[in-house]
Amino acid sequence: MARTGVRLFLMVMFVVTVVEAAVFYSPVGEIMHVVSYATLCFMAWWSVLRMRPRPHRRPRPRHRPPVATELVARERLPWVLVASGVTVWFAGDAYELVAAHFLGGAPAVGLADAFWLGGYPLLAVALALMARRRAPGRLRGAAVDALTLTVAAGAVSWQFIMKPIAEGFTLAESAVPLLYPFADVVLLSGALVVAMSPGRRTAPTRLVLAGAVWFLSMDLGWNVLPYFLSEDVYGRLGAAMIFGNALVVGAGLHPARVELTRPGAEMAVLHPARIFFLAIALMTAPLLTLVADDKITAVVASAACALLVITRFTAAVREQERAQALLAQQARRDPLTGLANRSVLRDRLARAVPAPDDPVAVLYLDLDGFKEINDQHGHEAGDSVLRAIADRLSAAVREQDLVARLGGDEFVLLLPGVSGDEAARLAERLLKDVAWPVAFEGQQLVVGASIGIAARNEVGQEALLRDADAAMYQAKQLGRGRYVLS
């Protein structure tokens, strides 16, 4: 459905909700409720059936299912759960109407509660799956933050909603009414994980979150408004639940709904709203110890929030340490080949020759014919050749030696404890290794090498590198494909 169609659908459902709330306790209101709910169920399942893979031009083997089909199946599951939740809630309302008109009245606690309570875990699991699809392997921080807020909300719900419901009743009498606030906490947890997970937050994400907040607000009204209003007033919230369903179904109808089920980009910064709500959660549990009658619950909630914050802080510090280590490694490595860069080479040169008598050799290698490969086959072919040569050079040296790429097609080998004669023998072997063809897209690419060698002298490490460079240019002038010992 196009964006305009989704907006029109939500506007119509909002008007229907308002009208239905006005005539809720009349036959017309009941008919509107059934028709609007049935329409929502149809639209929810229709949105699921619309998720089909695009046909492929090339036939695929029968023993291997198309990747597009697998992807659609994974993306479809959360919306199947959403449609199931809407249908289960409608079944609860339909049964209550049937019982009221044909079965002598609906009991205070009965089959309708099973349907109504069954919709909450379906929607919560759907939200959890959306978050998992949006941020595969990157949900730990969002889950800990969501759990922190959920613990604080659960403690408040227990103190001001669940506990008053249980007072004065037996466990059997209060069990079902207590399940509704508990289901709200579960639904809140799922909504928070989606809200805090990485990924885009355009209309579909906002609609899903708005629907979850709408459900929570309506249930909160059911538990709080009886203290202030008559049942004739707060009972009309049953009609308002329709619009919450419409918001979630509208997200499934939206053309950009894939943002809820496909991996999204990592958030670069922590949103200020996230910090604000986490601060509220941390303040809530300790404040409950001052105003709550149930001190044990408040203390347990405070301890749980503190433990979650410590866990989150520890994970954030470790993540920062890993990021800094990665940046430090990237700053010292050539991004294409993974070899050391010029700065690492200079540091190792300074440490490799601590005394004048220590032998050390430097091989300065420049590829022959590399420019022609770039010109004829493109830069991807050139990159493939550079990576292959880097691997061959690394395999030809010892563990204590250093292979560095200075840029372009220039490489340097630093060989501590190696004399000039030993370096010359290594250069002969490298000329053969470099000349082996490199396979690229069915073609064999061949380059050569010119190598300059400089052994340790009294001038210093900078002169050692400069002498090897000069020897390399001399090798090129002599005909390439050879080495020169300075």
Side-chain angles (χ1 to χ4, degrees):
M1 183 180 290
R3 290 174 171 80
T4 304
V6 174
R7 295 191 191 100
L8 181 61
F9 166 76
L10 294 175
M11 290 175 59
V12 170
M13 293 307 304
F14 181 77
V15 173
V16 169
T17 300
V18 173
V19 174
E20 182 185 333
V23 296
F24 187 67
Y25 291 105
S26 67
V28 174
E30 293 177 352
I31 294 173
M32 288 187 64
H33 190 75
V34 171
V35 172
S36 58
Y37 233 137
T39 302
L40 280 176
C41 292
F42 170 79
M43 298 297 289
W45 287 108
W46 181 65
S47 69
V48 171
L49 296 175
R50 288 174 59 237
M51 299 179 187
R52 298 176 182 175
R54 296 180 180 179
H56 295 275
R57 295 181 179 179
R58 297 180 180 178
R60 293 179 177 269
R62 294 184 179 180
H63 65 276
R64 183 181 179 185
V67 176
T69 303
E70 297 175 356
L71 181 61
V72 170
R74 287 172 53 84
E75 294 177 350
R76 181 181 291 172
L77 180 57
W79 299 111
V80 169
L81 294 174
V82 169
S84 300
V86 175
T87 304
V88 166
W89 278 334
F90 173 52
D93 286 5
Y95 174 79
E96 186 179 53
L97 289 174
V98 171
H101 291 284
F102 303 104
L103 301 179
V109 175
L111 183 60
D113 292 282
F115 287 116
W116 291 329
L117 289 171
Y120 287 92
L122 290 173
L123 185 57
V125 173
L127 293 173
L129 286 177
M130 290 176 185
R132 186 178 179 184
R133 302 284 193 268
R134 283 162 60 91
R138 295 178 286 141
L139 266 184
R140 180 176 299 178
V144 173
D145 292 346
L147 190 56
T148 304
L149 291 169
T150 302
V151 168
V156 174
S157 178
W158 168 255
Q159 180 62 37
F160 298 107
I161 298 178
M162 297 184 190
K163 189 179 178 184
I165 291 176
E167 290 178 348
F169 297 94
T170 64
L171 179 60
E173 293 172 335
S174 61
V176 172
L178 278 175
L179 287 175
Y180 284 97
F182 179 78
D184 287 335
V185 173
V186 173
L187 182 59
L188 174 64
S189 179
L192 288 173
V193 173
V194 172
M196 296 184 175
S197 63
R200 298 180 61 193
R201 290 181 177 83
T202 60
T205 303
R206 294 169 185 169
L207 287 174
V208 166
L209 297 178
V213 171
W214 187 275
F215 293 138
L216 296 172
S217 300
M218 295 302 101
D219 286 346
L220 181 63
W222 272 101
N223 288 282
V224 174
L225 291 181
Y227 295 101
F228 307 100
L229 302 174
S230 64
E231 184 178 358
D232 181 65
V233 177
Y234 72 81
R236 299 175 188 271
L237 292 176
M241 291 292 287
I242 290 285
F243 189 65
N245 286 281
L247 290 170
V248 179
V249 172
L253 295 171
H254 201 280
R257 63 180 178 273
V258 293
E259 74 176 29
L260 285 161
T261 51
R262 291 186 183 177
E266 184 71 57
M267 291 178 291
V269 295
L270 196 63
H271 197 280
R274 191 168 180 173
I275 301 175
F276 172 76
F277 285 115
L278 286 174
I280 294 296
L282 289 177
M283 294 172 58
T284 299
L287 287 176
L288 281 178
T289 60
L290 302 176
V291 300
D293 298 330
D294 189 352
K295 303 293 185 182
I296 296 179
T297 301
V299 171
V300 170
S302 299
C305 286
L307 180 61
L308 289 170
V309 170
I310 293 174
T311 302
R312 184 70 169 99
F313 176 76
T314 303
V317 170
R318 289 178 177 176
E319 183 178 352
Q320 183 69 20
E321 290 175 347
R322 288 193 296 268
Q324 291 178 349
L326 179 61
L327 289 175
Q329 182 180 6
Q330 291 175 345
R332 298 173 63 84
R333 292 290 172 180
D334 173 57
L336 177 63
T337 63
L339 298 178
N341 58 17
R342 187 183 295 269
S343 64
V344 176
L345 174 63
R346 293 185 182 280
D347 292 342
R348 286 288 299 273
L349 272 171
R351 290 185 284 111
V353 286
D357 297 334
D358 288 341
V360 63
V362 170
L363 275 68
Y364 204 117
L365 185 147
D366 185 87
L367 299 183
D368 300 329
F370 179 74
K371 183 178 183 300
E372 288 77 4
I373 288 179
N374 266 340
D375 294 341
Q376 296 176 13
H377 303 281
H379 289 285
E380 290 186 5
D383 291 345
S384 181
V385 169
L386 291 174
R387 284 191 290 265
I389 299 303
D391 293 339
R392 295 174 187 179
L393 296 178
S394 300
V397 299
R398 305 164 301 173
E399 184 178 354
Q400 64 267 32
D401 298 332
L402 177 70
V403 181
R405 180 186 176 215
L406 301 187
D409 58 347
E410 295 182 342
F411 298 86
V412 170
L413 281 68
L414 175 62
L415 311 173
V418 174
S419 64
D421 293 338
E422 293 172 324
R425 289 193 292 270
L426 175 61
E428 290 180 355
R429 181 154 54 94
L430 291 178
L431 290 175
K432 298 177 182 179
D433 292 345
V434 171
W436 278 97
V438 177
F440 176 77
E441 295 184 353
Q443 303 181 64
Q444 299 296 320
L445 308 179
V446 179
V447 294
S450 297
I451 303 176
I453 307 172
R456 177 70 176 90
N457 56 37
E458 298 181 358
V459 180
Q461 62 269 21
E462 291 295 336
L464 188 66
L465 184 61
R466 186 169 57 250
D467 290 347
D469 186 15
M472 181 271 295
Y473 277 105
Q474 186 178 357
K476 280 188 174 295
Q477 293 173 356
L478 293 176
R480 300 185 177 184
R482 64 182 67 210
Y483 70 88
V484 170
L485 177 60
S486 172

